[in-house]
Amino acid sequence: MTAERVLVDGAALVMVTARTDRPVTGLELCGELPCWQQPIVMQRAGATWEARVRATAGVYEMKLREPDGAWRIDPAWRTVTRGGELNGVLVVGGTAEPVLHAAAPPWLALADDGRVLVRAALRRGHGERLSLRLDDGAGPALRAMRSTGSDEGHLWFEAELAGAGRSVEYAFVLADGRTITGEQALRFSPRELAPSPPAWWRDAVVYTIFVDRFRRGGSLGAWADPHATDRELRAGGDLDGVIEALPYLADLGVTALHLTPLCTSPSVHRYDAVDPTAVDPALGGEAALDRLLAAAHARGLRVLLDLASTHVHRDFARFQDVRARGPASPSWRWFRGHRWPFIEGHEPGYAHYQKGQWQEPLLAVDEPEVQDAIVDWFAAWARRGVDGLRVDAAADLPLPLLARIRAAVRVVRPDAVVFGEVVPACIDRFAPGALDAATDFAHREAFVGWLGGAPAASWTTVAAAQRRRGALGSGLGFTSTHDQPRLGTVTQDPALARLGFVTVALGARVPLLYYGDELDLASEAGAASRAFEDAWPDRQPMPWHARQSATHAAVRAALALRRDHELLRHGDEELHALTDDAVLVRRARLGDAIDIVIHRGAAPCELELPPGPDTRLLLAIGEVLVVDEAHVRLGPRSIAVLDRRPLPDDLALRVGNLEIAREAFVAGHVECPAYPSRVYLTVTESCNLRCQHCITDAPARTQSGRARTLQPWLLDALHDTFAHADYVGFTHGGESVTAPIFPDVLRRIARARAGRPGRADIHLISNGTLLTSDRLASLLDLGLTSLMVSLDGAVATTNDAIRVLGRFDRVVANLAAAVELRARRSADLRIGISTVVGASNVGELPALGRLCLDLGVDWLKVEETYPATPFARHDLLAPDAPALAAAMTALRDVIAGRPLVLVDHLAPPAGCTCSGDPSVIAFRAADDFANRTRFRPCRTPWEQAAIDPDGTVHVGDYAGHALGSLLDAPMLALWNAPAALAARDRALAASPPAQRRACTR
Ligand code: SF4
């Protein structure tokens, strides 16, 4: 058999063709297209069989099934092997052999800190290494990929990229130099990979409440029958009971409540709706939901509701009509009736929910009218003000319908989350494509299996596979849902179950806790073998009297740790089997790590830890002793949470940073143990103007989408640099204030420097068009101390012709408002204007001087034109051009004796003040005033770094040698890279020891 794909219908339709080596009467195509639960019947086409399926870019595993149930794979197919299972594989929009990769999630994933992960598998026998060749528009680069494991057929690799905003073309390079790409060039744009969940979701801790069994309002937590688990009898929990429990839940560390359905229904669980959009009066009705939402939101808690849309109760109005009128009913197509009149009981004449639930007719979820109604139901709950919705049995709904549900909810509540119950192992099919998140049952099965005695590899292997499939960020972690036996029931050991709850609380997936687990709720051992959805013994009334359990304390402590450590909320996750009884879960990010060592064994043990710069105990569950940096001793059923990050530098080092650099310079050391004290940082290369003389290529980059923008991971990586710097300059590589992340950058600088004495200057270069008084006020609040605004003429016609899309009048008004704001707030802000002078505006220099005086700014800088564009080359004036000399003389006459510092940057003298040259000393004084820093050019390579939005560090300014990326190494390592040492070597050669000693502090 062979399978090939034919691109039809805009590359969305894939034709799979199979040839058999012997006659067969039929063939089914089974696999991940659309999913294993829905085989596709293939059609005979002469000697072959065909199936057409819609598929976006991806890697799809599949098999053929013959009528007798026999599975087949053609030897000519590409294959993957996982856990001994061989499947055929169809690659759409990906690479050829021997590299397995598609240009789509999860093979490409955008981390929530802005980094892009590229994943690929290399068929065994084609070398041990794999590299990425990249071109983001700045020229090709080669990057080695990191090995992340292997299976029977492939070696697996990953690479992290800066993901600085612009689109990247890439290919894979094998160890023998061969390049592997796709039928078409492989390309990604971080914007298209952007994860869908709202920002709050990754920080969420979700707590599932089975409403009928949680709490009854006004009952003080007492139940008529505290042991009532009957599937037919309501215990009486209601929404006012949930309101009463909010303080308890907030104290536990929960941030979002997931409530089982509230809709009207005769059942205890209410997953069989009579009216899918009405709150059951037995729960308190509509008013109770409003009260709950108000009370929860007042505490900062979110409320997520649940809705089943694959089936309804037989009293659902449209089904009642179908029961009465049969095929004559306008709602007949809503259901899957095959015989009418219906009968009550088994074989009722219509498709119904599984396990004999004939009272629960299935909805025809492929029908457009039904789909419209389902979408409306979800949107209706969103309009009520809930913060998110769970789609019950999401894997039984078509993916496009799930996507419509999410879109409709988002229209109403842009920050709402839509997550789904996805029981099959392929949650990456559903999230993030159609849902924001999905329950990761595959990981749960493996983890609970390990707690129950399975080998450690059975968990770590599944975890690695789920990680490769991108299931971490989009997955919900749990030990049981309301459909499964509780972990306490499965283990019959509260201490072992406690390990499970704490591990979920500290894992990479959003934790999903089940009510009462923290109070050791469990039922007798026999209930552990109950079928899915039949976990009635474990739907007990919440035992409010049992709040002081050790498990409650452990879960509460773990959630507090998660709240306090960003690594635990956002870090990656890798599992290492230390022994069969002990697994280490490493939560890591940018070289920092927290290790969670879980010991399920009944006997004490001593374990060797993987290398880490330090080992400090953050949390102990059970008996834990940190022996030394590499060893930990654990008692039975225990967990050690270990901070493996290096201790933060002390304050003295940060204060002395500049002096340490000076000492290295004076002593002639090319190694520099200090951080750069002056940092230039490009927040974005995108600009709202199209200046004709722009030297940064911002207009073209902005229009083509090649402009890079700083991502959150870089702020993490720059923390220590910010802590040590005295000066951060935001250069004009684009317009910083157009980047939404800019205020965050300033906040992170302030946070990193908190508690450090001495001033820090924040210098912003802006085109001024967007610097309204309000925006400037907020920037002042965030630490801005120095502002340079560009104007290239003294009148609108001149300026706006050069600075295309610039608005002279608006910039002047903004400058006037800035000066007024400074005076009103007595703000420590230095303000100046910079002008690039050429043939088209040279005559306006005196008028520009008058404008500066009228505005009351502090300085005016006159800069030479740099011949970077055709306009600039045409407009360029030599520094000694007579017209320029005359204009400068006239300008000096205008400002003579007035409080305006003139920076003549037309032919700036080189050198440092320590040379003693008076022209250098005068120029440096004016230029330093305008930049609000102290430049010492002779020791720039020890003091100054420029950083691109993708984390590339340059020594000196942006034209200086690139030292590497902060994605790969910390600043101090880059700051002592060979190119930095060479730059210092050259600086030392130009600065003899006596002069260095004279270099003032
Ligand atoms: S404002 Fe600056 S970055 Fe933007 S186009 Fe003009 S010169 Fe270039």
Side-chain angles (χ1 to χ4, degrees):
M1 301 173 218
T2 59
E4 59 190 60
R5 106 184 144 90
V6 178
L7 295 181
V8 189
D9 190 16
L13 200 59
V14 179
M15 184 185 294
V16 178
T17 306
R19 291 185 177 82
T20 57
D21 50 11
R22 57 187 173 76
V24 291
T25 56
L27 271 184
E28 282 181 334
L29 184 66
C30 304
E32 296 180 326
L33 278 176
C35 68
W36 286 98
Q37 287 75 15
Q38 295 178 33
I40 297 169
V41 177
M42 302 191 80
Q43 304 298 320
R44 191 192 293 274
T48 64
W49 296 81
E50 290 179 352
R52 289 187 174 202
V53 286
R54 292 201 171 272
T56 54
V59 173
Y60 302 94
E61 295 180 30
M62 58 177 61
K63 273 189 169 121
L64 295 167
R65 188 163 63 191
E66 295 186 5
D68 63 0
W71 294 99
R72 294 204 165 267
I73 297 176
D74 191 307
W77 279 6
R78 294 183 68 172
T79 55
V80 293
T81 310
R82 296 183 204 276
E85 184 75 14
L86 184 72
N87 285 328
V89 67
L90 180 70
V91 179
V92 179
T95 48
E97 286 281 9
V99 174
L100 193 61
H101 169 87
W107 304 89
L108 297 171
L110 186 67
D112 56 4
D113 63 2
R115 291 172 299 154
V116 173
L117 268 81
V118 181
R119 300 181 169 106
L122 175 65
R123 186 169 292 286
R124 285 184 182 276
H126 293 270
E128 304 286 315
R129 287 180 287 120
L130 192 62
S131 301
L132 262 181
R133 198 183 63 212
L134 305 159
D135 190 345
D136 65 358
L142 199 66
R143 190 175 187 90
M145 299 186 77
R146 159 174 91 88
S147 167
T148 58
S150 61
D151 56 30
E152 295 92 323
H154 291 86
L155 310 178
W156 290 81
F157 295 89
E158 273 185 13
E160 290 173 345
L161 309 180
R166 65 181 170 190
S167 102
V168 175
E169 195 170 306
Y170 62 102
F172 297 91
V173 180
L174 306 184
D176 63 8
R178 270 185 299 153
T179 297
I180 305 295
T181 183
E183 285 172 26
Q184 294 160 346
L186 300 170
R187 180 187 298 277
F188 69 78
S189 165
R191 260 192 298 272
E192 290 158 13
L193 295 172
S196 64
W200 60 267
W201 177 246
R202 284 303 303 274
D203 294 337
V205 174
V206 186
Y207 186 95
T208 293
I209 291 174
F210 195 91
V211 180
D212 180 64
R213 304 288 159 87
F214 187 61
R215 187 177 175 111
R216 181 163 188 80
S219 68
L220 300 178
W223 297 98
D225 178 359
H227 306 292
T229 57
D230 194 304
R231 63 179 300 154
E232 306 296 339
L233 289 180
R234 285 186 173 164
D238 61 15
L239 293 178
D240 281 331
V242 178
I243 294 171
E244 289 176 4
L246 293 179
Y248 166 81
L249 296 169
D251 176 74
L252 182 62
V254 168
T255 68
L257 321 183
H258 157 229
L259 307 182
T260 52
L262 307 183
C263 49
T264 51
S265 159
S267 69
V268 174
H269 52 71
R270 297 185 172 86
Y271 280 95
D272 49 347
V274 172
D275 182 345
T277 59
V279 182
D280 193 333
L283 297 175
E286 313 291 335
L289 176 60
D290 292 342
R291 286 196 298 277
L292 171 61
L293 290 172
H297 291 165
R299 287 186 168 273
L301 298 172
R302 297 178 191 268
V303 178
L304 318 174
L305 297 191
D306 200 338
L307 189 61
S309 53
T310 55
H311 61 283
V312 289
H313 190 266
R314 67 198 294 266
D315 290 341
F316 177 66
R318 285 185 179 270
F319 190 71
Q320 283 184 326
D321 191 60
V322 167
R323 280 160 61 192
R325 293 202 274 165
S329 166
S331 300
W332 176 257
R333 291 171 63 85
W334 276 54
F335 306 93
R336 303 196 185 284
H338 52 266
R339 187 187 62 227
W340 187 82
F342 301 146
I343 60 169
E344 298 194 355
H346 296 299
E347 302 297 334
Y350 52 84
H352 59 79
Y353 199 64
Q354 56 187 329
K355 299 169 194 157
Q357 302 297 318
W358 60 269
Q359 308 93 331
E360 301 175 14
L362 290 179
L363 286 162
V365 294
D366 292 330
E367 281 294 320
E369 194 181 342
V370 176
Q371 293 195 352
D372 290 348
I374 291 172
V375 170
D376 286 347
W377 297 343
F378 280 91
W381 286 110
R383 280 192 291 275
R384 299 293 306 269
V386 304
D387 303 291
L389 286 140
R390 173 185 179 272
V391 184
D392 184 61
D396 294 338
L397 295 176
L399 276 177
L401 174 58
L402 292 172
R404 277 189 65 197
I405 290 171
R406 179 170 66 176
V409 169
R410 284 284 167 72
V411 166
V412 180
R413 287 289 308 267
D415 68 341
V417 72
V418 179
F419 68 106
E421 178 199 28
V422 176
V423 180
C426 52
I427 72 166
D428 49 299
R429 286 277 165 272
F430 297 86
L435 296 166
D436 293 322
T439 43
D440 193 346
F441 278 86
H443 182 259
R444 182 265 177 195
E445 299 306 320
F447 172 48
V448 172
W450 175 71
L451 282 178
S458 66
W459 177 26
T460 58
T461 305
V462 170
Q466 291 295 81
R467 182 174 179 275
R468 283 197 299 266
R469 296 166 73 93
L472 287 189
S474 55
L476 282 143
F478 56 94
T479 57
S480 57
T481 67
H482 59 282
D483 284 328
Q484 296 161 292
R486 293 178 182 275
L487 186 57
T489 301
V490 173
T491 62
Q492 293 292 302
D493 179 344
L496 199 53
R498 192 176 306 140
L499 300 192
F501 308 143
V502 170
T503 302
V504 164
L506 299 175
R509 295 158 187 79
V510 170
L512 178 70
L513 311 177
Y514 186 38
Y515 83 97
D517 274 353
E518 76 277 16
L519 301 181
D520 295 322
L521 263 188
S523 47
E524 79 289 346
S529 57
R530 286 257 178 167
F532 191 71
E533 296 187 344
D534 195 28
W536 287 100
D538 277 325
R539 292 168 175 169
Q540 308 95 324
M542 177 80 164
W544 289 102
H545 58 280
R547 289 171 55 173
Q548 300 303 319
S549 80
T551 302
H552 180 274
V555 171
R556 186 172 181 271
L559 293 179
L561 203 64
R562 183 181 187 90
R563 180 198 60 212
D564 293 343
H565 290 270
E566 195 178 18
L567 258 184
L568 292 174
R569 286 179 278 120
H570 298 182
D572 204 349
E573 180 182 276
E574 278 188 51
L575 271 63
H576 305 272
L578 301 179
T579 69
D580 254 352
D581 280 340
V583 170
L584 181 143
V585 179
R586 171 160 283 194
R587 305 296 314 278
R589 182 171 175 176
L590 293 171
D592 285 342
I594 291 179
D595 287 341
I596 303 152
V597 187
I598 307 149
H599 175 228
R600 72 176 182 191
C605 67
E606 181 163 320
L607 301 166
E608 185 171 345
L609 302 168
D614 210 334
T615 303
R616 298 187 303 282
L617 187 64
L618 290 173
L619 178 67
I621 305 296
E623 294 169 26
V624 174
L625 177 69
V626 176
V627 179
D628 56 34
E629 285 182 5
H631 296 87
V632 63
R633 212 170 284 157
L634 293 171
R637 318 281 199 237
S638 57
I639 291 182
V641 184
L642 305 168
D643 193 344
R644 309 302 306 279
R645 295 171 288 185
L647 276 170
D649 296 324
D650 63 22
L651 195 60
L653 174 63
R654 287 194 272 145
V655 173
N657 185 61
L658 188 62
E659 183 61 20
I660 293 167
R662 191 192 82 88
E663 284 171 6
F665 165 71
V666 171
H669 295 154
V670 291
E671 286 86 10
C672 181
Y675 285 81
S677 54
R678 184 169 46 254
V679 174
Y680 284 102
L681 182 57
T682 300
V683 175
T684 182
E685 294 171 336
S686 177
C687 190
N688 55 328
L689 303 196
R690 307 277 182 270
C691 299
Q692 295 206 58
H693 56 4
C694 182
I695 62 172
T696 68
D697 205 22
R701 288 186 199 208
T702 306
Q703 279 178 314
S704 67
R706 288 185 296 114
R708 298 174 293 183
T709 295
L710 181 151
Q711 301 295 309
W713 70 265
L714 185 52
L715 300 181
D716 290 343
L718 279 170
H719 177 87
D720 288 346
T721 304
F722 288 156
H724 290 81
D726 301 315
Y727 181 91
V728 182
F730 295 98
T731 48
H732 210 163
E735 177 58 44
S736 303
V737 296
T738 63
I741 199 172
F742 185 47
D744 275 339
V745 179
L746 299 183
R747 274 185 211 103
R748 295 293 287 268
I749 294 170
R751 199 188 310 162
R753 297 191 85 265
R756 182 183 159 178
R759 68 173 295 120
D761 278 302
I762 307 294
H763 179 71
L764 172 64
I765 301 179
S766 168
N767 61 46
T769 52
L770 303 172
L771 270 183
T772 59
S773 188
D774 285 349
R775 180 169 269 149
L776 184 63
S778 67
L779 295 180
L780 288 178
D781 291 340
L782 293 170
L784 186 75
T785 63
S786 179
L787 174 64
M788 181 193 111
V789 172
S790 302
L791 275 179
D792 291 332
V795 294
T797 44
T798 306
N799 179 78
D800 296 354
I802 298 170
R803 306 185 68 76
V804 176
L805 303 181
R807 294 275 306 278
F808 178 84
D809 295 341
R810 183 183 298 170
V811 176
V812 170
N814 286 342
L815 276 165
V819 173
E820 190 273 331
L821 178 69
R822 173 174 66 176
R824 182 158 37 90
R825 293 178 52 164
S826 299
D828 181 14
L829 176 68
R830 193 169 290 173
I831 307 172
I833 291 175
S834 174
T835 188
V836 176
V837 67
S840 57
N841 63 1
V842 64
E844 295 177 17
L845 277 183
L848 195 58
R850 280 190 288 277
L851 178 64
C852 288
L853 294 172
D854 290 347
L855 285 169
V857 300
D858 305 306
W859 54 268
L860 169 64
K861 186 179 206 171
V862 183
E863 297 194 67
E864 71 280 22
T865 297
Y866 188 80
T869 67
F871 170 86
R873 285 190 283 279
H874 178 259
D875 203 48
L876 187 135
L877 281 178
D880 57 355
L884 188 48
M888 287 299 286
T889 300
L891 171 62
R892 286 197 167 91
D893 287 345
V894 167
I895 65 174
R898 304 293 299 277
L900 183 74
V901 173
L902 177 65
V903 186
D904 179 352
H905 203 280
L906 294 170
C912 190
T913 49
C914 54
S915 68
D917 182 333
S919 67
V920 170
I921 292 171
F923 172 73
R924 284 264 47 88
D927 197 44
D928 288 356
F929 179 83
N931 286 284
R932 204 158 192 185
T933 187
R934 174 91 184 275
F935 290 106
R936 285 165 285 249
C938 56
R939 47 173 143 136
T940 291
W942 284 261
E943 292 187 353
Q944 180 174 303
I947 301 168
D948 291 331
D950 66 359
T952 301
V953 177
H954 301 262
V955 60
D957 56 27
Y958 288 100
H961 277 287
L963 306 178
S965 172
L966 287 162
L967 187 69
D968 304 316
M971 175 60 89
L972 275 188
L974 297 178
W975 202 225
N976 288 288
L981 305 188
R984 291 183 198 125
D985 225 10
R986 287 191 295 276
L988 289 175
S991 186
Q995 186 177 324
R996 296 203 300 273
R997 282 193 294 276
C999 191
T1000 54
R1001 291 162 194 262

